[in-house]
Every structure is written in C-alpha cells, then in structure tokens.
C-alpha cells in the first residue's frame, strides 16, 4: 500500500512540475494576462475591452494595415470575437457623432468604445488605462510600426 501511495505521489509531482496540471487559461502571458494583472479587471472584461479597441482600430485603418497588425499579433482575431456587439451611431453620443460626420473625428471613434466598455461593466475612463497597455504590448510583440498603426487609427 505504501509503494502505491508513493508512486501516486511521484506521478502527481511530475505531473505538476511539468505543467500538465496547469489550467488552459493560465497558459502564456499575453495581452489579456497583462490587462487582468495591471488593471484588476476580469479575463472577460480584458478580452472584450481589447477586442473593442482592436475592432475600432480595424474600422479606422486600411485593410492592409490591419492585416499587418493581425500578422504580427495573431491573437487579435480571437479578441475581436470577444468584443461586445454594438450598434454604430446608437445612443446620444452616436447621434451626435453621426450628425458631425467625418468631422466628428475622435468622438465618432470613441462612441463605440464607450458603448463596448459600458456593456462590459467598465467605465469610459478605463479606455485610457487599456490603451497604453495595448500599445506597449503591440510594440513589444509586433514592433514600433504595429504600435504606430494602432495609435494612428485610435487617435
């Protein structure tokens, strides 16, 4: 009986040491992990917020530029699916930005982000906390060119 218990203990130890017992969500330290650890948000809020940011960038940059972003940051494609669905030009801010047209500039860009973050239970101020982390992550994984593409699309 002692040999059996020792063998099970040894197998368990090896299993844990080599990471076989690690939950799937803990694998890797990507953008979501950075957001969760830096901002005290849930993984769902981090995924949805990052997805909303990338979705806004996608809407405001040429397709070939966004392709560059997704090539360098392949996780962006899955994050896009985590962004809350929002109707363009919904609500009071959406109506105002719609009336301003292209001259609405950043107001139009930010309206969708405000709506997305609200649906995630995050304040609009959190957008300003997400952005630098997203930019730094993009620069560290994709280089300054990728970070600059995102900044240009989101400002």
């Amino acid at each position: 009986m002692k040999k059996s218990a020792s063998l099970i203990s040894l197998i368990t130890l090896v299993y844990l040491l080599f990471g076989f017992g690690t939950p799937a969500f803990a694998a890797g330290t990507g953008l979501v992990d950075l957001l969760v650890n830096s901002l005290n948000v849930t993984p769902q809020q981090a995924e949805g917020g990052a997805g909303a940011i990338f979705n806004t960038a996608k809407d405001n940059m040429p397709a070939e530029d966004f392709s560059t972003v997704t090539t360098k940051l392949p996780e962006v494609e899955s994050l896009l699916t985590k962004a809350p669905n929002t109707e363009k030009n919904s609500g009071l801010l959406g109506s105002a930005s719609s009336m301003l047209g292209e001259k609405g500039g950043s107001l139009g860009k930010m309206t969708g982000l405000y709506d997305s973050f609200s649906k995630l239970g995050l304040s609009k101020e959190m957008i300003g906390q997400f952005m630098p982390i997203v930019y730094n992550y993009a620069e560290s994984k994709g280089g300054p060119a990728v970070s600059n593409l995102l900044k240009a699309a989101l400002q």
Side-chain angles (χ1 to χ4, degrees):
M1 185 69 163
K2 283 189 174 191
K3 285 185 180 182
S4 168
S6 295
L7 182 58
I8 291 173
S9 296
L10 180 61
I11 291 170
T12 303
L13 179 62
V14 169
Y15 186 75
L16 292 173
L17 284 175
F18 287 101
F20 299 124
T22 308
F25 64 85
T29 54
L31 178 57
V32 172
D33 293 332
L34 287 172
L35 292 167
V36 168
N37 294 327
S38 300
L39 302 177
N40 195 30
V41 296
T42 68
Q44 293 78 17
Q45 289 172 319
E47 289 172 338
I53 289 169
F54 287 119
N55 197 34
T56 301
K58 179 182 180 182
D59 289 345
N60 292 294
M61 69 172 55
E64 61 272 7
D65 287 350
F66 194 71
S67 177
T68 299
V69 171
T70 58
T71 298
K72 296 288 186 174
L73 307 173
E75 64 275 23
V76 168
E77 293 292 340
S78 69
L79 290 172
L80 290 173
T81 67
K82 305 294 184 179
N85 290 329
T86 59
E87 292 183 35
K88 296 210 187 274
N89 299 327
S90 64
L92 187 58
L93 275 176
S95 299
S97 67
S98 169
M99 287 187 289
L100 292 170
E102 288 299 313
K103 294 181 182 176
S106 62
L107 176 63
K109 291 178 189 177
M110 298 309 286
T111 302
L113 278 177
Y114 293 157
D115 190 29
S116 292
F117 272 61
S118 175
K119 287 182 177 184
L120 293 165
L122 298 169
S123 69
K124 66 181 180 182
E125 288 79 19
M126 289 298 292
I127 296 169
Q129 294 180 34
F130 268 63
M131 292 292 208
I133 295 170
V134 169
Y135 295 148
N136 288 338
Y137 179 81
E139 185 166 345
S140 72
K141 298 293 182 184
V146 172
S147 181
N148 289 336
L149 286 172
L150 290 171
K151 287 176 185 176
L154 294 166
Q155 293 178 351

